[in-house]
Amino acid sequence: MEETKGQDSRPYHHGDLRRALIGAARQLLEREGAAAMSLRAVAREAGVSPAAPYHHFKDKAELLEAVAEEGWTMLSRLLAEAAASSDPEDRLVPVLIAYVHFARDRPALYRVMYDSARELADLPSSARSGDDTAFAKVRASLNARGAQASDTEVELAMTAAWCAAHGLAEMAGFKQFDHLKAELGGETAFLAAVLRTMGLYRKPPAAA
Amino acid sequence: MEETKGQDSRPYHHGDLRRALIGAARQLLEREGAAAMSLRAVAREAGVSPAAPYHHFKDKAELLEAVAEEGWTMLSRLLAEAAASSDPEDRLVPVLIAYVHFARDRPALYRVMYDSARELADLPSSARSGDDTAFAKVRASLNARGAQASDTEVELAMTAAWCAAHGLAEMAGFKQFDHLKAELGGETAFLAAVLRTMGLYRKPPAAA
DNA sequence: TGTACATCAGTGAACGCGCGTTCACTGATGTAC
DNA sequence: TGTACATCAGTGAACGCGCGTTCACTGATGTAC
């Protein structure tokens, strides 16, 4: 099972090519963008032949799905950390800012994740089940501030928060906002100010 | 200058191929998505040879820029209409909903527009100059409700509104929100409720 | 412990494809005389 | 009004490219005896 890995020669069998391919794809997305992330480029990046990935993924779409899945897992972990290290009563903005930073720093990966979420009736399983997930954290932040809110109100607030995070994540890099960022004293202050302007810094108003 | 157009034969010279190519590209984007919009496909759609576009655009990127530009013009017109047909004191939500509808109904075109805006230090000229533009309308809506606001506050509110519209536009089609839409009585009610939950239905709070 | 063999994860060459772009060309148009 | 010619917007064939995917193969691994 365990092959000996010489320092200078790669073994014929990779060991964990599936994981390596997902990692290579993620790296390519982050480093060179969506257009550069072909199946052949991923195989090249992982140091295997163009045909090797087909032993682990049915086709390119299946690899992309796996990349998205791993992305949601990474994001969930980051949001959980942001939630854990902030005031239980005021977690929403820190959690959303963590979301925005993640997406802003890896736009191509984030877009793959977005595209995968778009197709599903529910969230990706990596972001869905259990407590340690992206959306559980957002929901918990909302519950912390609106104990008396109805299910629909919480759902609406979740939606608003998610949309706001998505919009902000994709726009935060726009040069149009550079002077505003400078004026407000940096990127994070800018993000917080926009979220506050959106009213997401306090209890959602009574239902629509 | 004016060539006679037989009913059954296309003239050798097109007449206004530049505009036709932009239109064909837009149609392809709307009908079949970004992946289907190659330069060759655009030429095919317009009924000319693959080389013809090069008499009007330096390369594919230049055509895409022109498509984006036209998109921003279309959007500005729609927002102007939405603004014109709503209460001057309560224009923000109708204008944002018009934005969301536009983008939601043409996701691939909208993405081309977004990508073109992303690169610019300022907005595309079609959305920038004059009063009859997308962003002038949003700004006017904000001014109508916060007469005493500082420039920075208005700028922040603009940013928040734009981010919210972008986020909502891209997420509105998610299946995850279907039951919420049903519960609230339709798509438009859903959009309005989310925007209200975001706090964009009233004067922005005092500056950050 | 040693050998035969099934399994499986790799290889590398090849396929057909559509792409963006270039090129030498040709047909239509508009203008000068 | 008619003809010669420059201009320009088309054509169609060709280029090289990288892509996703398939195929027959081969080398390594793990297991049964």
Side-chain angles (χ1 to χ4, degrees), chain A residues 152-177:
Chain A
T152 300
E153 286 171 314
V154 171
E155 211 56 33
L156 256 181
M158 274 286 288
T159 304
W162 194 14
C163 290
H166 176 81
L168 201 42
E170 291 218 313
M171 316 265 295
F174 277 32
K175 296 207 183 64
Q176 283 91 336
F177 304 137

Side-chain angles (χ1 to χ4, degrees), chain A residues 99 104 107 110-111 114 117-124 152-153 155-157 159-164 166-177 179-180 183-184 190 193-194 196-205 208, chain B residues 99 104 107 110-111 114 117-124 152-153 155-157 159-164 166-177 179-180 183-184 190 193-194 196-205 208:
Chain A
Y99 186 107
R104 225 217 56 160
Y110 178 67
R111 190 124 284 269
Y114 164 87
R118 167 167 210 84
E119 296 300 318
L120 302 169
D122 208 337
L123 296 169
T152 300
E153 286 171 314
E155 211 56 33
L156 256 181
T159 304
W162 194 14
C163 290
H166 176 81
L168 201 42
E170 291 218 313
M171 316 265 295
F174 277 32
K175 296 207 183 64
Q176 283 91 336
F177 304 137
H179 72 283
L180 207 44
E183 211 167 307
L184 293 168
F190 165 76
V194 175
R196 271 187 232 114
T197 299
M198 281 180 181
L200 292 172
Y201 66 111
R202 52 176 154 179
K203 276 198 289 187
Chain B
Y99 186 106
R104 226 218 55 159
Y110 177 67
R111 191 124 283 270
Y114 164 87
R118 169 166 209 83
E119 295 302 317
L120 303 168
D122 208 339
L123 295 170
T152 300
E153 285 171 315
E155 212 56 34
L156 256 183
T159 303
W162 193 15
C163 289
H166 176 81
L168 201 42
E170 290 217 315
M171 316 265 295
F174 277 32
K175 296 206 184 64
Q176 283 91 334
F177 304 138
H179 73 282
L180 207 44
E183 210 166 309
L184 293 168
F190 165 76
V194 175
R196 271 188 233 113
T197 299
M198 279 178 182
L200 293 172
Y201 66 113
R202 53 177 153 177
K203 277 198 288 189

